[in-house]
Amino acid sequence: MSETRVLLRKVSDGSEIELGDQLSIGRLPECDLVLTEGHPSRKHASIVVEGSSVTVEDLGSANGTFVNGTRLTAPATLASGDRISFDTEEYELVIIRPEAAGGQAEKTMLRTPEAAAVDATSSSSRVSPAWIDPSKHAPGGPKTEFIDAAKIQEMMQAPGLPKADASTESVDAPTLFVSSGKKNGTRVVLRTSEQQGEWTVGSDADRDIRFEDEGVSGVHAKFAFDGQRWRLSDQMSANGTYVNGKRSNMSYLSSGDRIRFGPVECSFQTPQQSARVKRRSTARKRSGTTRNLLFVAAAFAVTLAVLYVYMYLWR
């Protein structure tokens, strides 16, 4: 009698991966399953097979692991037919048993959070809010070329996806809004933990925040959070790091600052700024209402005065 087989079948193209005892999942090349879609973390999740039991665990990924549409906050025991998504890349679990090939057990049962909770903000997890496309700009690849100002301006104005507008967005963590280049329209969440307070920027595959646009150096810049302030440092990039239009070697950031890595434009926003924008909007509404009431009261007073004068003259 043949043994039970456990497969992951990719929903988009039907390709299959047979699972052994353990499967590491993430965007790092050394992972057993290398994720290339969406914005997966370096070490995103893992799957453990023990006999006929299959368990999936999120490893503190920035954009989450989902089972049948529900984001994991603890390890989950899987059943054949379950859909598992690592950020946007989706797979179906297939368990083939010799006695009942193709049969399906009951749907996933989630363990309680107390059993083994994993949260993206916990100190035991490494948050990696980054993207990767391993097809280009591997370490040791071609050097970055200097680009003149006119070409950079042309690249920044190239048509693409709708821009992510930080001025209209509400955020619950420091967020980088990308507004030009290949990642136009993308938001990168910089959620801090005890194990990560820095994010590297560049075109090399090992960067936390990766831009593959021409003019972005392999090692371009670095964000750092010291517990109170955000600092952005240029790392001797060919085409510079700019903050609010000025080339900068090191800057302390404020919410709403405009940042540019070569031709890639971004804006930086924190939750405090988001709250202030909401308060200003509410204050403007209240101010407008107050002005309207004062106008009505003034008009009413003028009307009463005119009536009084009219009645006095005709007495």
Side-chain angles (χ1 to χ4, degrees):
M1 182 178 293
S2 60
E3 295 181 353
T4 298
R5 299 176 61 207
V6 182
L7 308 174
L8 274 184
R9 179 180 295 147
K10 192 170 183 178
V11 173
S12 61
D13 60 16
S15 58
E16 294 181 345
I17 301 169
E18 185 159 1
L19 276 62
D21 294 336
Q22 186 166 2
L23 186 78
S24 61
I25 303 160
R27 64 180 177 87
L28 289 177
E30 58 264 31
C31 289
D32 300 318
L33 173 58
V34 178
L35 302 174
T36 59
E37 299 175 11
H39 304 150
S41 294
R42 293 174 176 179
K43 295 181 180 180
H44 197 102
S46 68
I47 294 179
V48 176
V49 180
E50 296 178 337
S52 60
S53 175
V54 183
T55 304
V56 61
E57 180 179 359
D58 184 83
L59 300 179
S61 66
N63 294 313
T65 300
F66 300 79
V67 175
N68 300 324
T70 300
R71 184 166 184 164
L72 293 184
T73 57
T77 301
L78 301 174
S80 187
D82 282 341
R83 292 286 184 94
I84 309 102
S85 299
F86 310 103
D87 188 16
T88 62
E89 198 162 328
E90 187 175 24
Y91 291 82
E92 179 183 357
L93 183 74
V94 179
I95 301 177
I96 303 174
R97 296 182 175 87
E99 67 276 10
Q104 290 192 9
E106 61 181 352
K107 287 293 180 180
T108 297
M109 298 295 291
L110 299 183
R111 296 182 190 172
T112 62
E114 292 78 8
V118 177
D119 184 81
T121 59
S122 70
S123 60
S124 62
S125 63
R126 174 174 172 82
V127 181
S128 181
W131 49 73
I132 185 170
D133 182 348
S135 64
K136 295 182 180 179
H137 291 288
K143 298 296 183 181
T144 306
E145 295 182 3
F146 287 96
I147 299 177
D148 61 51
K151 185 176 181 182
I152 283 184
Q153 192 66 26
E154 181 182 339
M155 293 168 68
M156 289 163 53
Q157 295 174 350
L161 298 171
K163 294 186 177 182
D165 184 4
S167 65
T168 62
E169 293 280 354
S170 177
V171 298
D172 60 4
T175 303
L176 194 67
F177 292 79
V178 185
S179 56
S180 72
K182 295 180 180 180
K183 297 297 182 181
N184 179 15
T186 300
R187 299 192 304 175
V188 181
V189 178
L190 307 178
R191 199 181 299 276
T192 60
S193 73
E194 290 184 7
Q195 295 187 12
Q196 182 168 8
E198 296 184 350
W199 287 262
T200 55
V201 181
S203 58
D204 281 352
D206 63 349
R207 299 298 89 187
D208 293 318
I209 303 174
R210 190 181 185 199
F211 297 113
E212 297 181 280
D213 302 77
E214 181 184 1
V216 177
S217 296
V219 178
H220 197 106
K222 180 173 69 175
F223 289 96
F225 183 64
D226 63 10
Q228 294 182 334
R229 297 184 297 178
W230 284 91
R231 184 178 68 252
L232 177 62
S233 304
D234 184 79
Q235 297 188 297
M236 300 182 68
S237 63
N239 295 298
T241 299
Y242 292 77
V243 177
N244 297 324
K246 295 182 179 180
R247 188 160 184 164
S248 172
N249 291 325
M250 194 278 286
S251 294
Y252 285 101
L253 299 176
S254 298
S255 192
D257 280 346
R258 293 175 294 107
I259 301 169
R260 178 160 62 83
F261 307 105
V264 178
E265 286 188 297
C266 308
S267 58
F268 177 75
Q269 186 174 340
T270 63
Q272 292 83 356
Q273 174 68 12
S274 177
R276 284 197 294 270
V277 169
K278 287 185 177 180
R279 287 197 295 269
R280 284 199 298 269
S281 176
T282 302
R284 283 196 294 269
K285 290 179 180 179
R286 289 177 180 172
S287 177
T289 302
T290 302
R291 285 196 299 271
N292 290 338
L293 290 174
L294 289 174
F295 177 79
V296 170
F300 182 70
V302 170
T303 301
L304 289 177
V306 170
L307 288 174
Y308 178 80
V309 171
Y310 177 79
M311 292 176 65
Y312 179 80
L313 292 176
W314 284 92
R315 287 177 59 184

